[in-house]
Amino acid sequence: MQSSVRFPRVNARRVAAIAVVALTALIAGSLAARQQEASPLTGFSPEGAQTEAQWEQKFRAMPSTDNMRELMEFLSAHPHHVGSPYDKEISEWLVGKFKDWGWDTRVETFQVLFPTPVDRVVELVEPTHFVAKLAEPSLPEDATSNQQSEQLPPYNAYSIDGDVTAPLVYVNYGVPADYDELERMGISVKGAIVIARYGVSWRGIKPKVAAEHGAVGCLIYSDPHEDGYAEGDVFPKGAWRPPDSVQRGSVMDIPLYPGDPLTPGVAATPEAKRLDVQDAKVITKIPVLPLSYADARPLLAAIAGQVAPERWRGALGITYHVGPGPAKVHLRVKSSWDLKPVRDVIATIPGSDAPGEWVIRGNHYDAWVNGARDPVSGLVAELEEARALGEMRKAGWRPQRTILYCAWDGEEPGLLGSTEWVEKHSAELAARAVAYINSDSNGRGYLEAGGSQTFETFANDIAKDIVDPETTMSVWRRKQLHEIASVSSDEERNRIRNRPTWPIDALGSGSDYTAFIDFAGVPSMNFAYGGDEENNGVYHSAYDDFYWFAHFDDPSFVYERALAQTSGTAVMRLADTDLLPFNFSDLSNAVSGYIGELQRLATREANRIRERNREIATGEYAYLSETGGRPAVVPQPKPEPQQLDFAPLQAARDQLVRASAHYQQNWERARQNSAFLTRGGLEKINEELFHSEHALIDPNGLPGRPWFKHQLYAPGVYTGYTVKTVPAVRETIEQDQWSQAQQAIASASKVISNEAIAIERAAVDLDTALQ
Ligand SMILES: [Zn+2]
């Protein structure tokens, strides 16, 4: 999945225009600049670095755009969702391919709950009658768009079954702030069906929040304002969503736990103890269906009542009203709730010196429909890497560490394949996994890198060695220019120019790295090229297919090649290096930044509550909010915010900063000491390095969601994909739970302090080894 939650975008066009100007001006000098940027191979002995550089050069010349085009055409030739015939065929084909390329290959199968729709109805029953089509028509020029009999029709997986008829209320994006606005307007959704537009939050948040406010049904539609003709020409003329296209997708409560809903925390093997379906908390409380904008328009046009606030208005060319009613809608959803197999394909090249240390790479292969972009654009890169690594092995390359290449099934419904695999192997992963490198949808654009902050310098180093296909500057430089173009002040621009690295994004959720980092504590990275929303014009629809991709996303497949070069280089470098390139100063900088943010957030939130309570007490409140000229409905005041004591977090931060600085000092000595790096025997230190992420795991998990164990990163309970850093502290402050926030500060401090201890141990052991 991995996508489309960034609406509404802030001036992306303008930013893109600036970036193009900046890029053009800089292309001339870029080749010279690349020479200066190219990173030294850190962590290798001088001979090792030379050999590595030669192998890497060979590797980066191997991924072929013609191969990837052919692979995509084959892999997206038919719909291949979980449990479909083509999904199974692909799994078998993948096994054959990996074996041909010289990999030891096996399939690991799990039995997971995957509902597929048997009955879907959305009709307007008052004041007029209209029946929603709920279907995507085939297009003559698009050869695979007519495979309706093989497709899953548009639906939201893990919607509960239901049959409701109720007045309709428009709730904008359907996030908590929209319900605050409705409350001020005096509008309740109790007993209503809500209609929310896609965007801002992950889709699964919308029915969750609607149900919390008493709604009985939820419709989610694509508004052309951010997902259609207001953005650009629609498919097949352009890349954007046509009127009847629907975004399918899961509405499972992934922020509670991903994977099979019936086996949280354990692998969904045949003998696993399973919850009853009605006890699986991740299934929605109310029925949900997705709509195209052609189907949504008559429903929205029939709503009356107050006119929607300006920010809520889309591009349907109607006056947006909020309701409730007089539009009344009948919504019926029924699914077949079967267990279906997910088949993960796992291919291995054994390590020569440290076979017990695993470098893991993965991308999913299942799709909602044909899935040329999501996920095949990332999968073809992974496959070309695997072919290239296989050929290099035949030519004599021997990675020190074991390499695992994984093709995950069942990602789209809820990260099923990867989560079950991680749950099954969590003890081995904790002991052996050096890193997990993920990709998913990919396209034309700049590099987006996310991951554990200990890999920030490493990811920057890799990016300096990859050539951007459009500009021929390094992808590192192009990304830096993008960062410069996205900020608004000279001060920020100069700060970015003067930084030796750009930051990598903390990981939330939305793809298969989730279980690795959040459940198992494996240091993880995610790579993708893209960055233009146009890439997602037909996201999760029947038109995300080869015709669309080859016309509008990356017609020359050069960014799939760039992804293969990026991820493959990262895999090789981690598998071959003598001393692993973890950088803890990047981590301690990031953590210091998070703690500063949390303190400012607490102050801001407390001030906001005090101000609001003051407005309520003085009677100002009703006249200070915009509610279409009417006085706002006045809520109850909130309890007085509690003063939080951040001293424990500050102390833990200082400890982390000291330990990190100590380690980095010794790392600098080590990386320049060729005799030391050549003599080997670094297993213990390497192990301490890749185990360090595990210190950030609390086995009890986050408050209210024990599956999520990482204490620095998690997807937000009310945002979905978007990351919340130091989530236990941040979310309790955001939800005004002050005493829980104080407890969360204590537990987060403990974990950060444990991390500092782990880093200090590595620093001391490295020092001793250097003697
Ligand atoms: Zn995907």
Side-chain angles (χ1 to χ4, degrees):
M1 39 189 153
Q2 186 186 64
S3 181
S4 265
V5 292
R6 290 185 212 138
F7 318 135
R9 60 196 170 145
V10 188
N11 254 335
R13 282 273 150 65
R14 196 189 68 85
V15 169
I18 295 171
V20 168
V21 173
L23 291 177
T24 322
L26 280 147
I27 285 170
S30 68
L31 279 171
R34 196 164 81 236
Q35 299 308 321
Q36 290 154 19
E37 278 162 20
S39 65
L41 281 164
T42 52
F44 288 86
S45 67
E47 314 83 80
Q50 228 173 25
T51 318
E52 174 70 13
Q54 284 163 1
W55 281 119
E56 282 190 10
Q57 246 162 22
K58 277 200 187 81
F59 167 78
R60 288 196 286 270
M62 281 159 93
S64 142
T65 53
D66 288 346
N67 283 358
M68 290 189 281
R69 169 185 282 272
E70 242 173 73
L71 285 169
M72 179 180 285
E73 196 162 11
F74 167 73
L75 291 163
S76 65
H78 294 274
H80 52 285
H81 50 270
V82 172
S84 66
Y86 201 57
D87 190 60
K88 179 160 189 273
E89 193 177 324
I90 288 177
S91 73
E92 288 157 3
W93 179 89
L94 285 167
V95 170
K97 277 289 164 198
F98 277 113
K99 283 187 175 163
D100 287 351
W101 297 329
W103 296 67
D104 302 331
T105 310
R106 64 178 190 276
V107 174
E108 294 190 39
T109 304
F110 302 96
Q111 300 294 329
V112 298
L113 180 72
F114 177 54
T116 49
V118 291
D119 190 18
R120 303 166 305 134
V121 174
V122 175
E123 58 183 335
L124 185 67
V125 293
E126 283 175 28
T128 52
H129 193 231
F130 164 78
V131 181
K133 205 168 4 171
L134 310 178
E136 299 184 294
S138 48
L139 298 166
E141 51 276 85
D142 180 358
T144 62
S145 65
N146 65 354
Q147 300 167 329
Q148 276 86 357
S149 64
E150 299 172 64
Q151 293 171 2
L152 282 175
Y155 80 118
N156 288 128
Y158 303 102
S159 160
I160 196 170
D161 290 349
D163 187 344
V164 290
T165 301
L168 197 57
V169 177
Y170 175 55
V171 296
N172 193 27
Y173 295 106
V175 297
D178 295 322
Y179 287 89
D180 292 346
E181 184 92 36
L182 285 172
E183 192 188 342
R184 281 194 290 277
M185 294 166 79
I187 292 164
S188 163
V189 301
K190 227 174 225 109
I193 294 173
V194 303
I195 180 164
R197 53 175 161 165
Y198 270 114
V200 174
S201 79
W202 176 61
R203 82 180 75 71
I205 301 302
K206 299 167 197 282
K208 172 157 94 174
V209 180
E212 285 173 2
H213 286 82
V216 297
C218 178
L219 300 170
I220 313 175
Y221 80 104
S222 302
D223 196 294
H225 181 258
E226 51 267 310
D227 199 2
Y229 54 70
E231 294 290 328
D233 288 325
V234 302
F235 188 65
K237 188 176 178 211
W240 290 93
R241 193 178 299 280
D244 287 315
S245 171
V246 189
Q247 183 189 136
R248 289 162 187 73
S250 176
V251 286
M252 178 198 282
D253 193 2
I254 285 175
L256 191 57
Y257 63 88
D260 174 35
L262 304 185
T263 58
V266 297
T269 54
E271 62 279 3
K273 213 173 141 248
R274 286 179 162 74
L275 297 173
D276 290 333
V277 173
Q278 64 267 26
D279 295 331
K281 292 207 184 79
V282 292
I283 295 167
T284 65
K285 307 285 181 287
I286 56 175
V288 198
L289 273 178
L291 295 179
S292 68
Y293 52 87
D295 274 343
R297 193 177 188 279
L299 307 186
L300 287 160
I303 300 176
Q306 295 184 47
V307 173
E310 198 177 338
R311 293 181 320 282
W312 289 34
R313 300 170 198 164
L316 281 170
I318 54 170
T319 304
Y320 285 69
H321 292 88
V322 177
K328 192 183 244 187
V329 164
H330 174 211
L331 162 65
R332 189 167 73 226
V333 191
K334 191 169 160 35
S335 289
S336 142
W337 293 84
D338 305 327
L339 295 190
K340 308 247 176 18
V342 290
R343 302 176 184 89
D344 295 328
V345 178
I346 313 290
T348 309
I349 291 179
S352 57
D353 296 343
E357 296 178 9
W358 296 353
V359 177
I360 309 168
R361 166 86 174 96
N363 196 104
H364 70 100
Y365 69 85
D366 70 297
W368 274 121
V369 195
N370 299 71
R373 176 179 167 81
D374 185 4
V376 174
S377 58
L379 181 64
V380 296
E382 191 193 19
L383 293 178
E384 273 295 272
E385 293 162 48
R387 181 184 66 81
L389 296 180
E391 278 186 26
M392 293 211 306
R393 192 154 164 256
K394 285 176 195 156
W397 171 65
R398 292 286 173 272
Q400 290 202 36
R401 300 182 177 81
T402 294
I403 298 176
L404 279 76
Y405 265 54
C406 312
W408 307 117
D409 195 1
E411 191 267 0
E412 291 298 354
L415 319 175
L416 306 176
S418 58
T419 301
E420 297 313 310
W421 191 83
V422 168
E423 288 173 346
K424 178 175 169 193
H425 297 280
S426 62
E428 278 170 290
L429 287 169
R432 294 166 178 237
V434 171
Y436 173 67
I437 298 168
N438 189 70
S439 63
D440 196 327
S441 306
N442 190 64
R444 204 174 61 230
Y446 58 88
L447 177 65
E448 295 175 306
S452 308
Q453 258 81 22
T454 41
F455 283 142
E456 183 169 307
T457 298
F458 177 69
N460 274 263
D461 284 351
I462 300 281
K464 286 173 184 169
D465 289 340
I466 311 298
V467 180
D468 176 58
E470 278 179 353
T471 63
T472 74
M473 62 178 70
S474 73
V475 302
W476 182 86
R477 180 74 169 137
R478 181 163 180 194
K479 161 94 167 174
Q480 189 197 35
L481 294 174
H482 170 79
E483 299 268 309
I484 291 170
S486 358
V487 297
S488 50
S489 74
D490 286 341
E491 195 188 338
E492 285 172 294
R493 275 188 283 274
N494 284 331
R495 190 176 48 80
I496 295 168
R497 281 199 186 93
N498 295 328
R499 266 189 72 149
T501 57
W502 29 250
I504 60 173
D505 304 324
L507 290 175
S509 186
S511 195
D512 292 306
Y513 50 75
T514 308
F516 283 92
I517 186 157
D518 293 335
F519 184 79
V522 175
S524 299
M525 272 180 284
N526 185 68
F527 290 122
Y529 288 86
D532 193 332
E533 288 295 348
E534 194 170 284
N535 297 132
N536 280 314
V538 291
Y539 179 61
H540 285 186
S541 79
Y543 310 117
D544 176 2
D545 58 17
F546 183 74
Y547 180 91
W548 178 86
F549 191 90
H551 281 82
F552 300 109
D553 199 334
D554 186 14
S556 55
F557 284 75
V558 286
Y559 281 94
E560 285 56 60
R561 185 178 62 201
L563 177 62
Q565 291 168 330
T566 309
S567 310
T569 301
V571 167
M572 286 181 72
R573 217 168 270 188
L574 287 170
D576 290 341
T577 191
D578 298 300
L579 183 60
L580 287 167
F582 283 72
N583 185 313
F584 297 106
S585 291
D586 294 335
L587 175 71
S588 68
N589 285 338
V591 170
S592 301
Y594 300 154
I595 292 172
E597 278 169 29
L598 290 172
Q599 288 177 271
R600 289 190 294 278
L601 172 70
T603 308
R604 208 166 53 233
E605 192 60 19
N607 288 342
R608 197 182 62 80
I609 292 171
R610 289 195 190 100
E611 169 64 20
R612 185 179 133 119
N613 287 351
R614 188 179 307 128
E615 290 167 6
I616 293 169
T618 58
E620 292 171 342
Y621 186 93
Y623 301 96
L624 283 170
S625 313
E626 259 183 79
T627 51
R630 272 171 280 253
V633 172
V634 181
Q636 289 299 311
K638 291 194 171 179
E640 178 67 9
Q642 196 180 309
Q643 185 69 37
L644 293 178
D645 177 11
F646 280 93
L649 264 179
Q650 287 157 341
R653 172 200 62 199
D654 293 345
Q655 194 188 352
L656 182 68
V657 169
R658 278 195 305 274
S660 302
H662 188 197
Y663 179 82
Q664 291 312 129
Q665 264 170 16
N666 292 343
W667 154 264
E668 281 305 320
R669 285 165 59 213
R671 79 187 184 95
Q672 286 163 28
N673 184 335
S674 46
F676 168 74
L677 288 168
T678 311
R679 78 169 189 242
L682 297 172
E683 293 83 1
K684 180 163 176 255
I685 292 163
N686 281 328
E687 205 168 283
E688 287 171 346
L689 295 174
F690 69 78
H691 283 173
S692 65
E693 188 88 24
H694 214 259
L696 295 166
I697 290 285
D698 181 337
N700 297 319
L702 295 173
R705 40 180 184 154
W707 188 92
F708 281 90
K709 302 190 188 301
H710 204 292
Q711 300 297 306
L712 285 191
Y713 320 116
V717 170
Y718 285 108
T719 56
Y721 287 170
T722 313
V723 67
K724 294 284 177 178
T725 53
V726 205
V729 180
R730 192 177 298 269
E731 294 199 314
T732 45
I733 296 174
E734 285 173 349
Q735 291 160 31
D736 306 331
Q737 299 165 337
W738 302 96
S739 55
Q740 288 96 321
Q742 194 62 61
Q743 284 166 24
I745 285 175
S747 51
S749 308
K750 178 115 204 313
V751 160
I752 292 168
S753 165
N754 287 345
E755 175 72 359
I757 292 166
I759 295 168
E760 181 60 26
R761 193 181 310 128
V764 169
D765 287 345
L766 185 55
D767 191 33
T768 311
L770 279 161
Q771 303 301 316

